[in-house]
Amino acid sequence: MIGRSSRLLAALLAAVLVAGCGATEAGPQPWHGGRIFLATGNTTGVYYQLGGGYADVISRHLPGYEARAEPTGASVENINRLASGDMEIAFSLADTAADAAAGRGAFDGQPQPVRALARVYSNYTHVIVRADAKVTRLSGLRGKRVSTGSPKSGTDIIAGRLLTAAGLDPDRDVVRATLSLPETVKRMRAGTLDAMFFSGGLPTPGIADLLASAPGRYALLPIVDLMEPLTARHGSVYTTAELPKEVYKTRSGTPTVTVANVILVSADMPEQLAYDLTRLLFAYQADLVKVHPEAGNFTQQSASGTDPIPLHPGAARFYQRG
């Protein structure tokens, strides 16, 4: 009797240990409640600000979840981390996300299983030159020291495409540096860079600080003359708009290239969670506007237009119900 009881106890303990080991290996499952991580961008950019606001909304209004915004190198890195399961939500430029969905560009031959919750505000391409560099066209950057943004960022991709459209080899015809926005601003102030690119919402805090720190020392470069070669090679993901003079208190508006932003999740996210995350964007949009005014620059109608990036079924259900 004692031997049988001992064997039963041993069997039960083994079962518990196996179950415990399995739980440890699997790790916490965010789909069943827990932490949600948002991949954003540079700490002085709009992604990081809005991501923090969105994380706060999720934590306060989605029972069972706590969300946190993480600073990153932005679009390409965000998508890679989303696909690996390291992040649950990612901000991205629409052109980079379209490349990921199709398996081209930085994702050549490796389509990523990303789905969109929403198309949100548009990013404006900022090309800033030191006034003493005497550059008036993008082709004038030949031989200059240029930051094209963080490695694996949407800014870096757009910068490379624009330089190519201007007839320059991004890796040979300019002294290229791939730097975060804070480091780029630091080097512009120090005079060790002649120009910089950044794709961001309006206003982008880091750029506002740079331009306000030395009025007249820097200039925003118009680049809409490059739209024809840009569109011919990359399709209709890019549009144009004027960067208003009021945003950074410049003498005049600056015609520039724009591209939409999207909020992405993985294809395997449960439909109800994707529905709830999309719903929160609109139910608490006013709270997000308090974090950054760009949060007011999208509607349910515009947000559903994510093509060629597929909407997540949960997001599609939200838009269908209105």
Side-chain angles (χ1 to χ4, degrees), residues 151-269:
K152 298 185 178 181
S153 68
T155 293
D156 193 35
I157 289 173
I158 290 177
R161 291 176 176 181
L162 284 167
L163 288 166
T164 300
L168 301 175
D169 183 321
D171 296 311
R172 294 183 180 181
D173 293 334
V174 300
V175 182
R176 186 176 190 173
T178 50
L179 305 170
S180 69
L181 181 56
E183 183 62 23
T184 295
V185 167
K186 179 181 177 181
R187 296 198 188 186
M188 286 289 286
R189 285 175 171 164
T192 56
L193 285 174
D194 301 304
M196 62 170 285
F197 287 78
F198 192 76
S199 179
L202 302 180
T204 292
I207 290 175
D209 290 345
L210 173 67
L211 297 180
S213 68
R217 184 179 296 177
Y218 309 102
L220 284 157
L221 207 62
I223 52 174
V224 292
D225 59 308
L226 300 174
M227 272 299 291
E228 186 175 340
L230 196 64
T231 302
R233 186 163 184 174
H234 302 289
S236 58
V237 291
Y238 300 108
T239 53
T240 61
E242 182 170 274
L243 203 164
K245 63 181 182 180
E246 295 80 12
V247 175
Y248 299 114
K249 297 179 175 57
T250 53
R251 292 182 180 179
S252 60
T254 307
T256 193
V257 172
T258 58
V259 60
N261 291 291
V262 287
I263 298 177
L264 304 174
V265 296
S266 64
D268 66 354
M269 176 177 278

Side-chain angles (χ1 to χ4, degrees), residues 30-158:
W31 309 147
H32 303 121
R35 301 294 290 272
I36 290 180
F37 291 93
L38 290 80
T40 61
N42 293 173
T43 54
T44 56
V46 178
Y47 278 0
Y48 186 68
Q49 286 195 324
L50 269 185
Y54 189 24
D56 184 56
V57 164
I58 294 168
S59 297
R60 287 189 291 117
H61 302 291
L62 191 59
Y65 289 89
E66 181 182 350
R68 189 171 78 185
E70 293 289 320
T72 68
S75 298
V76 177
E77 178 186 336
N78 289 357
I79 291 171
N80 285 333
R81 295 181 73 175
L82 183 69
S84 72
D86 187 38
M87 297 281 159
E88 284 71 51
I89 300 173
F91 283 74
S92 174
L93 289 175
D95 58 343
T96 306
D99 284 353
R104 60 174 182 254
F107 309 94
D108 188 31
Q110 296 181 318
Q112 301 298 307
V114 297
R115 298 293 183 267
L117 293 184
R119 172 178 176 158
V120 287
Y121 66 96
S122 289
N123 266 18
Y124 288 66
T125 306
H126 302 68
V127 183
I128 301 172
V129 296
R130 292 179 58 86
D132 57 13
K134 302 186 185 304
V135 174
T136 58
R137 297 171 62 87
L138 207 65
S139 57
L141 291 179
R142 185 181 299 274
K144 302 296 186 184
R145 302 162 298 177
V146 182
S147 172
T148 58
S150 297
K152 298 185 178 181
S153 68
T155 293
D156 193 35
I157 289 173
I158 290 177

